[in-house]
Amino acid sequence: MFLALVSGNPWLESLARLAIIAVLVPVTVIILTWVERKVIGRLQMRLGPMRVGPYGTLQGVADTIKLLTKEDVRPQTADRWVFELAPFVIVVPVFMAVVAIPFTADLFIQNLTLGVFYFVAVSGLSIVGFVMAGWGSDNKYALLGGVRAAAQLISYEIPLVMAIVAVAMLSQSLNLAVIVGAQEDTPNIAFQSLAFLIFAIAGLAELYRQPFDIPVAESEVVGGPFVEYSGIRWSMFQLGEFVNLVLISILGSLIFLGGWQWPWSVFDESVPVVAQIAMMAVKTAAFILFFMWMRASLPRLRIDQMMSFCWQLLLPFALLQIIINGLVLVYDWPNEILIPLSGAGAAGAVYLTYRAARATGVRYQPGYQTVGSVL
Amino acid sequence: MTYEEVIFYVVAVPTVVGAIGVVTARNVVHSALFLILSLLSVAGIFILLSAEFLAIVQVLIYGGAVTILVLFAMMLTRVRDMPAALDGPQRPFAALAAGAFMVVSIFSMVSTEWPGDTNKINVISIQQIGNDLFTTWAVPFEVASLVLMVALLGAIVLARGEEGE
């Protein structure tokens, strides 16, 4: 009865789909906070949370209750409206981006023709929230963190978008469902290994997690834009961060790992929905674990290293990938030629990064000189 | 009132409120935030006209990049300590210029022959936009990118010059 009523009306149907997402997403985030503490604990040879519930499974619930009941403090000199609206400006675009994400071939809120493009545009909006939080708090550390966040997120958005463009070129579409459909035989990671590498690094930077946690670095800017926030407003920032983690992981598994498609055509005809969801979950989890693993194993970059890494390494290599794709498309070369070309590009990028990481420091010369090259 | 009209007012009111906020706010940062509100609501109007590509570009460029850079520049200067610098003896000239521009806009709006009621909006696909942009309109497109390039180089030259002093 209810289902019949809902499925007839497009407005009610969209509303019902949105409601499901609005409930499921925070639950996922509560689980993920526990998973992250456990994973990082194991990587550092600790147990992680163990006290609340068996193996600490209820830790996330306990944390949520604590955060929701905490006092909401606002500094006296803070700019009231800017300070109080900033968490919403961060969280709302993140939830808006969920709209364009297909979870299986038929399970989505809205199948947009310009899906990837919409995703990129909307998630770029949350940068405004960081700037608002940093400026509105009337705190020097918060302001510094806000400026750092704006600089980092805007810079790394460019290689991220370029990597997505490379994939869109190959699939001849910006529709996420079509991009996944085009990967029936081979996932894009084989043809676009360079774009995948750039996407993974730029995605890590967009999530401002270690080694790219420069905007929120505890030992440099004491939490950055969030320093003055507490209780429910602080937890909204946390919510935004974790939803973004899930979104970037889902996007990565959709456009590079083949989404809900099973490898080696395990299912002869159509893949059942349960299997599709399971495949998506496995691929997304792989991405999330990769991001957590990076967080536990790499030290934080210096701010000039972060900037020059983006502009001097990721961006030129992203352009290289686009040029390679353009040549292959224009001259109708077989797609297989992309495997060695893109692979060579990826190897080159890895080698330059490795060389920069191993290079010994150059003594600082006062005066006029080129600034901050990592290469 | 059809539901299109309701949605139109839902996005038109923030556009106008944001635009008024930009000029009336005493604080420059508040002005910039109002500007973001206004520009994002314009994206809503584009969606209402089935120009989805334009709407997304509006959000991407104006919402995510241009206004952030404006905010960025203002946060690095101490705008908060000198709110009075917004006003000056040039006020009558500014009013005159703004008034003249308003008269011209209203005049051109009234004198233009609009095509009238349209029952059907032709949705233009992204493929068609791409084709037109890189074939028919390739020269203006390249000129626009050249202008941006010159602006970028100019900024670098200016910044470099200060560093050498």
Side-chain angles (χ1 to χ4, degrees):
Chain A
M1 172 63 196
F2 177 71
L3 265 179
L5 179 79
V6 162
S7 61
N9 187 327
W11 291 83
L12 281 180
E13 199 181 331
S14 317
L15 211 63
R17 290 178 180 208
L18 284 176
I20 293 172
I21 293 295
V23 173
L24 274 185
V25 166
V27 173
T28 319
V29 169
I30 291 173
I31 297 170
L32 267 182
T33 52
W34 172 77
V35 170
E36 165 141 58
R37 293 178 64 179
K38 269 293 190 199
V39 168
I40 293 204
R42 298 309 309 197
L43 285 167
Q44 295 172 342
M45 294 184 74
R46 296 182 284 117
L47 289 172
M50 285 297 278
R51 301 255 169 193
V52 193
Y55 294 96
T57 34
L58 296 177
Q59 185 70 48
V61 182
D63 285 349
T64 313
I65 294 170
K66 186 205 99 177
L67 280 171
L68 293 184
T69 51
K70 227 172 146 179
E71 192 190 351
D72 185 22
V73 187
R74 174 163 53 85
Q76 207 167 14
T77 51
D79 194 309
R80 182 165 178 201
W81 286 105
V82 178
F83 182 83
E84 292 196 345
L85 285 178
F88 295 96
V89 177
I90 292 185
V91 165
V92 168
V94 173
F95 273 83
M96 279 170 75
V98 182
V99 172
I101 296 280
F103 297 97
T104 73
D106 305 305
L107 191 67
F108 46 76
I109 301 178
Q110 195 62 260
N111 188 11
L112 299 174
T113 327
L114 300 173
V116 195
F117 198 30
Y118 169 87
F119 180 93
V120 167
V122 168
S123 46
L125 277 181
S126 38
I127 306 175
V128 180
F130 289 99
V131 177
M132 280 170 75
W135 186 83
S137 303
D138 195 27
N139 176 312
K140 283 200 173 62
Y141 292 115
L143 185 62
L144 273 178
V147 173
R148 282 177 168 205
Q152 173 173 334
L153 298 185
I154 286 194
S155 303
Y156 277 88
E157 206 177 300
I158 299 165
L160 187 81
V161 172
M162 294 258 187
I164 294 173
V165 164
V167 174
M169 283 171 85
L170 202 67
S171 319
Q172 304 272 301
S173 175
L174 290 168
N175 185 332
L176 277 166
V178 176
I179 292 180
V180 174
Q183 303 176 58
E184 207 167 358
D185 302 320
T186 326
N188 276 333
I189 185 173
F191 297 130
Q192 305 283 298
S193 46
L194 178 57
F196 175 75
L197 186 74
I198 292 165
F199 177 87
I201 296 173
L204 192 60
E206 282 291 303
L207 296 169
Y208 55 95
R209 302 164 75 79
Q210 286 94 332
F212 291 103
D213 64 334
I214 293 149
V216 293
E218 198 73 51
S219 52
E220 293 172 23
V221 287
V222 286
F226 317 144
V227 62
E228 296 288 1
Y229 287 87
S230 65
I232 192 160
R233 286 181 203 280
W234 185 83
S235 59
M236 281 175 74
F237 288 120
Q238 195 75 357
L239 178 73
E241 182 186 333
F242 274 91
V243 179
N244 237 334
L245 172 69
V246 177
L247 281 181
I248 296 267
S249 303
I250 291 185
L251 185 69
S253 49
L254 283 175
I255 66 176
F256 284 107
L257 302 183
W260 52 81
Q261 314 261 14
W262 281 65
W264 306 296
S265 353
V266 178
F267 296 92
D268 290 333
E269 286 298 310
S270 59
V271 186
V273 177
V274 182
Q276 288 184 12
I277 293 177
M279 203 63 213
M280 273 301 288
V282 167
K283 286 170 176 170
T284 310
F287 251 101
I288 293 176
L289 279 180
F290 165 76
F291 287 136
M292 288 179 179
W293 195 344
M294 287 300 116
R295 177 174 184 170
S297 42
L298 289 176
R300 184 186 307 134
L301 288 170
R302 238 176 25 231
I303 189 160
D304 62 313
Q305 290 172 331
M306 176 273 282
M307 273 302 181
S308 42
F309 183 59
C310 173
W311 293 100
Q312 298 182 345
L313 197 131
L314 291 186
L315 192 60
F317 273 98
L319 288 171
L320 178 73
Q321 176 73 74
I322 287 180
I323 292 170
I324 294 175
N325 285 1
L327 286 175
V328 169
L329 286 177
V330 168
Y331 293 109
D332 265 334
W333 292 340
N335 270 352
E336 281 67 31
I337 210 164
L338 279 169
I339 298 175
L341 283 180
S342 187
V350 169
Y351 169 69
L352 285 180
T353 316
Y354 172 78
R355 205 183 65 169
R358 300 280 297 181
T360 45
V362 184
R363 182 179 288 273
Y364 175 71
Q365 305 273 327
Y368 193 73
Q369 59 176 343
T370 53
V371 234
S373 169
V374 288
L375 303 181
Chain B
M1 211 151 56
T2 58
Y3 75 92
E4 283 100 341
E5 281 177 36
V6 175
I7 296 175
F8 173 76
Y9 285 112
V10 167
V11 290
V13 169
T15 312
V16 176
V17 168
I20 293 172
V22 173
V23 284
T24 53
R26 302 306 274 161
N27 191 318
V28 203
V29 175
H30 290 172
S31 291
L33 293 174
F34 274 121
L35 184 65
I36 297 178
L37 175 71
S38 184
L39 291 172
L40 287 184
S41 313
V42 171
I45 292 177
F46 285 148
I47 290 183
L48 206 58
L49 296 171
S50 298
E52 283 145 12
F53 178 71
L54 209 54
I56 296 177
V57 169
Q58 175 89 5
V59 172
L60 188 69
I61 305 293
Y62 289 104
V66 171
T67 40
I68 307 262
L69 291 180
V70 172
L71 277 174
F72 199 92
M74 284 191 308
M75 278 173 26
L76 292 176
T77 52
R78 296 167 64 93
V79 279
R80 217 180 199 194
D81 301 341
M82 38 176 190
L86 282 172
D87 213 340
Q90 295 177 347
R91 197 171 191 162
F93 298 105
L96 194 70
F101 184 70
M102 194 171 87
V103 168
V104 170
S105 336
I106 290 177
F107 179 74
S108 59
M109 197 172 80
V110 172
S111 62
T112 309
E113 286 224 355
W114 299 102
D117 290 345
T118 44
N119 295 320
K120 207 175 120 221
I121 294 177
N122 292 325
V123 182
I124 295 162
S125 69
I126 175 119
Q127 281 85 357
Q128 203 180 333
I129 293 174
N131 269 335
D132 283 356
L133 202 59
F134 288 105
T135 54
T136 320
W137 306 105
V139 173
F141 181 76
E142 291 298 325
V143 169
S145 56
L146 200 68
V147 170
L148 288 177
M149 182 78 162
V150 169
L152 202 69
L153 289 177
I156 293 173
V157 168
L158 285 176
R160 276 271 162 121
E162 271 175 33
E163 205 174 272
E165 280 164 9

